[in-house]
Amino acid sequence: MALTPTAKKNAITGKKTLVAYRLADQTPEADFVTIPGVQIFTGIGGSVEDIDQSCIAEDSKRYLAGAWDGNEITITIHHYTGDSTQQALIAAANDGSVVDIQIEYQDGTTGDIEVALKSASPQDPSLSDTLKWDIVGKINGKPSWTFA
């Protein structure tokens, strides 16, 4: 599903990448809502854990791949006064909600990511003249990618 831009700036700074979300407990038909003011989205991905299979008689370690462990993500948004989408996302983060996030890159590649939100915090005011929020969460499962 292609994301539709809103009237406010909603692309990652200088790019045409869009980020949208919906609460994970909504039906799959529920629309994603584009998050306005997204400036940075870090931590997309994860890795498998190492399971040590070494034997004391061997002279080197051996490993098996374990379970996938999603990264912690941070979405930094530029605050728009009175924006109901941002306010709902901040409330969802402070409530510990699980959300589905969809990211669409300018080449048409999309990623669908389930995230357990952990917190929403305003950034240190000494870092910027404008209010920015950091939304932090942990990826559940593996991101799903559709390549352009």
Side-chain angles (χ1 to χ4, degrees):
M1 165 169 104
L3 302 177
T4 306
T6 61
K8 293 182 177 148
K9 293 180 184 177
N10 51 18
I12 294 177
T13 306
K15 306 293 180 197
K16 295 180 182 175
T17 301
L18 301 175
V19 180
Y21 86 103
R22 67 177 176 206
L23 294 176
D25 61 1
Q26 293 178 334
T27 63
E29 296 81 28
D31 289 334
F32 281 87
V33 179
T34 303
I35 305 168
V38 173
Q39 297 196 319
I40 301 170
F41 190 156
T42 61
I44 300 171
S47 63
V48 293
E49 298 172 343
D50 299 335
I51 299 175
D52 190 343
Q53 296 292 305
S54 304
C55 174
I56 195 80
E58 296 176 355
D59 62 356
S60 61
K61 290 194 169 226
R62 299 182 62 80
Y63 295 92
L64 289 176
W68 173 267
D69 186 17
N71 289 340
E72 184 170 280
I73 59 105
T74 300
I75 301 172
T76 301
I77 58 173
H78 174 86
H79 177 77
Y80 291 124
T81 302
D83 184 88
S84 61
T85 300
Q86 287 185 343
Q87 291 170 358
L89 179 61
I90 290 166
N94 286 327
D95 289 343
S97 297
V98 176
V99 297
D100 295 322
I101 293 179
Q102 187 174 72
I103 185 166
E104 182 180 311
Y105 294 91
Q106 64 186 51
D107 72 349
T109 297
T110 60
D112 292 298
I113 307 160
E114 183 180 271
V115 176
L117 296 177
K118 297 168 52 172
S119 67
S121 305
Q123 285 188 347
D124 181 342
S126 67
L127 298 176
S128 175
D129 291 338
T130 60
L131 177 58
K132 295 178 185 173
W133 288 85
D134 287 330
I135 311 296
V136 177
K138 176 80 169 161
I139 294 175
N140 287 332
K142 293 181 183 180
S144 170
W145 295 99
T146 303
F147 298 99

